[in-house]
Amino acid sequence: MAQAQLYDYWRSSASYRIRIALNLAGISYQSSPIDLVAGAQNLPDYRSINPQGLVPVLEIDGKRLAQSLATIEYLHDAGHLVCLPGIRMEKYRVRRLSHIIAMDIHPVCNLSVSQYATRKSDGMIALTDWMHQFIPRGLAAFEELLADEATGRFCHGNTITMADICLVPQLYNAERWDISLDPYPEIRRIAADLESLDAFRAAHPDNCRKGA
């Protein structure tokens, strides 16, 4: 069985994705918390691990991997788990759903970005207003794409995919910012099912607060 080292932060949604993926794959891992609030990501020791100063970083199979979606796809390609369909257009759909969260919502709502925007606005933009502007916009698009016959028990069919791995951490962030999920019944239905699964429960930030 594969062993892994994960550099993560308990509240990082990108780290949350990798914890879910590792749990689904049945891969045990040692967590090395990187305290983003304390600025540990900027220390030379960690910059030598990831020059971007971002989490997560996963060490597995003698490799050092960064960027959560690229890492999840590596785990898929390496045979550690199956999270992408084999049919080209189905794989595209899963990636599209995943990218709405990881490429569109997440970057603009990353605290380093949102806090910079609020500082530069001279008080004209509140952090909460920023989150309420961008998170619901992405979730609304995600919800609309779920109105498709390809949606099943989960985001794509009846098997957990990368889209599901991305969805649950984003909803954790939405709830942190008091964003109502009432307008998204399909998202809520799927999330309730996913959150009942051991792999998702164990990865929840509240269960990963080492040193927090």
Side-chain angles (χ1 to χ4, degrees):
M1 182 178 294
Q3 298 290 319
Q5 181 83 16
L6 180 64
Y7 299 87
D8 68 340
Y9 179 64
W10 67 283
R11 196 169 251 176
S12 157
S13 59
S15 298
Y16 193 171
R17 293 171 201 148
I18 299 302
R19 294 195 299 263
I20 292 169
L22 291 172
N23 291 343
L24 288 170
I27 296 173
S28 61
Y29 64 93
Q30 178 68 39
S31 175
S32 295
I34 304 300
D35 190 339
L36 301 184
V37 175
Q41 71 276 21
N42 298 316
L43 297 176
D45 283 352
Y46 187 66
R47 288 284 179 157
S48 71
I49 294 170
N50 184 359
Q52 282 188 289
L54 300 174
V55 293
V57 169
L58 177 65
E59 293 181 348
I60 190 171
D61 298 339
K63 299 172 177 62
R64 180 175 285 166
L65 310 173
Q67 294 294 339
S68 64
L69 264 59
T71 300
I72 291 168
E73 292 212 30
Y74 169 85
L75 294 173
H76 172 88
D77 292 340
H80 292 301
L81 81 162
V82 177
C83 62
L84 290 168
I87 298 172
R88 184 179 301 162
M89 279 305 297
E90 292 187 12
K91 185 181 293 184
Y92 157 78
R93 181 174 185 266
V94 168
R95 283 177 169 148
R96 182 183 183 186
L97 289 166
S98 303
H99 289 188
I100 287 174
I101 291 172
M103 309 297 185
D104 296 333
I105 302 176
H106 184 179
V108 75
C109 293
N110 185 287
L111 279 180
S112 65
V113 173
S114 55
Q115 288 176 345
Y116 180 83
T118 57
R119 286 197 307 271
K120 289 297 183 179
S121 74
D122 293 325
M124 297 297 291
I125 300 173
L127 198 56
T128 298
D129 292 340
W130 182 273
M131 300 300 181
H132 280 248
Q133 171 67 21
F134 292 106
I135 294 176
R137 179 184 297 180
L139 291 181
F142 197 100
E143 176 78 13
E144 188 171 342
L145 290 176
L146 291 178
D148 185 287
E149 62 182 8
T151 302
R153 177 184 174 189
F154 303 120
C155 292
H156 186 82
N158 299 319
T159 302
I160 294 170
T161 66
M162 186 165 66
D164 302 294
I165 294 171
C166 288
L167 177 61
V168 169
Q170 182 56 60
L171 298 184
Y172 169 78
N173 280 338
E175 290 169 351
R176 278 183 61 206
W177 293 103
D178 294 323
I179 292 170
S180 174
L181 301 181
D182 290 346
Y184 319 116
E186 275 296 282
I187 285 176
R188 287 188 287 107
R189 175 188 67 80
I190 292 168
D193 201 348
L194 292 167
E195 289 167 353
S196 71
L197 303 176
D198 289 344
F200 285 79
R201 280 204 307 265
H204 192 282
D206 288 349
N207 295 321
C208 302
R209 298 185 63 169
K210 295 178 182 178

